[in-house]
Amino acid sequence: MGDGSGPRPGVRVLFVDDEPQLLRAMRITLRARGYEVRTAVDGGQALSEAAGHPPDLVVLDLGLPDIDGIDVIRGLRGWTRVPIIVLSGRTSGPEKIAALDAGADDYVTKPFSVEELLARMRAVSRRSPAAETGPAVDVGGYRVDFAARSVTARAEGTPPVHLTPTEWRLLDALARDPGKLVSSRALVSEVWGPTYPDDTSSLRLYINRLRRKLEPDPTRPRHLTTEPGMGYRFQP
């Protein structure tokens, strides 16, 4: 299973796809890995299942026969923060960004590796309400305390770090959901405001500044990673 870790006992997965063979195969695979699985073949059934049997995780195809998957995401986000992984054959950047902006946590493109999907599922499951990042996280050689707005070196000889207000806002927006893919558009809106021009050059500049300050090797970032054309992740 990749990192050798399995799901928490009794993790409930709602798998939504209109391909019966895929649903059947994934039901068998996920149950064998210890998940409890319910399925839905369209958006209406997905929303009904989620309301009647609240899941811990949703895997959702965008190309559904009745309701567009992005509208299903919006419907779920109206009442739940359950992690949502989009599974879709749509490969265009705008489609992916629209799904992330609607509230999806991650995006896996068809055809997909089962092991990759399982790894993504484990990653978003670790971000359950009981496991959300606290007021302080470790980034490289530093302890970042969001409450005190302080960065403390964890080892002697590590140079001190000072973050600007903009850098704090950006790091806070990413660290709030560790492991989540956050779209560039969402980050720009949160850090600079919804009326800021849809220009990611400032975002790239500040991401690079944070990497130079916090990453052990800024040229090979481990904590502030990029999904080209989509957005960024924070990996504590």
Side-chain angles (χ1 to χ4, degrees):
M1 291 187 59
D3 65 3
S5 62
R8 303 187 312 276
V11 171
R12 301 180 300 273
V13 177
L14 174 59
F15 203 102
V16 186
D17 199 291
D18 62 344
E19 299 180 34
Q21 290 182 333
L22 177 61
L23 279 185
R24 184 164 52 251
M26 291 308 303
R27 185 189 299 115
I28 294 170
T29 298
L30 293 177
R31 286 177 176 169
R33 302 297 181 112
Y35 292 94
E36 295 180 12
V37 186
R38 301 186 75 91
T39 60
V41 296
D42 58 41
Q45 186 181 6
L47 292 172
S48 177
E49 281 282 350
H53 307 276
D56 298 310
L57 170 66
V58 176
V59 180
L60 172 70
D61 182 29
L62 290 186
L64 300 173
D66 58 342
I67 305 172
D68 188 81
I70 292 175
D71 289 327
V72 175
I73 296 170
R74 294 191 181 108
L76 291 170
R77 284 290 173 258
W79 62 274
T80 179
R81 290 195 62 202
V82 62
I84 300 172
I85 297 177
V86 165
L87 186 67
S88 178
R90 302 178 186 180
T91 59
S92 70
E95 291 281 4
K96 295 179 179 180
I97 291 170
L100 294 170
D101 286 345
D105 294 83
D106 210 339
Y107 197 110
V108 177
T109 302
K110 291 180 178 179
F112 62 94
S113 157
V114 171
E115 290 301 323
E116 178 190 2
L117 176 60
L118 289 168
R120 300 287 183 93
M121 291 172 64
R122 292 193 298 271
V124 298
S125 293
R126 286 194 291 267
R127 293 189 294 101
S128 65
E132 286 184 352
T133 299
V137 296
D138 292 330
V139 184
Y142 298 95
R143 183 70 168 171
V144 180
D145 189 325
F146 291 97
R149 281 294 190 261
S150 67
V151 182
T152 307
R154 295 192 292 145
E156 291 186 12
T158 305
V161 164
H162 170 74
L163 300 184
T164 67
T166 300
E167 290 166 348
W168 274 114
R169 288 197 299 272
L170 177 56
L171 188 58
D172 184 62
L174 286 166
R176 190 179 306 137
D177 288 301
K180 177 180 179 179
L181 176 58
V182 184
S183 73
S184 298
R185 183 185 303 166
L187 286 171
V188 168
S189 177
E190 179 153 354
V191 175
W192 286 278
T195 61
Y196 193 83
D198 191 12
D199 177 11
T200 60
S201 58
S202 294
L203 176 61
R204 289 195 299 271
L205 173 66
Y206 277 92
I207 288 286
N208 287 334
R209 286 183 178 178
L210 284 174
R211 285 172 174 163
R212 287 197 297 271
K213 291 182 176 183
L214 299 174
E215 292 276 5
D217 182 354
T219 63
R220 296 180 178 179
R222 295 170 48 198
H223 305 288
L224 299 166
T225 61
T226 303
E227 291 282 344
M230 297 175 62
Y232 300 88
R233 296 180 199 269
F234 172 70
Q235 305 283 8

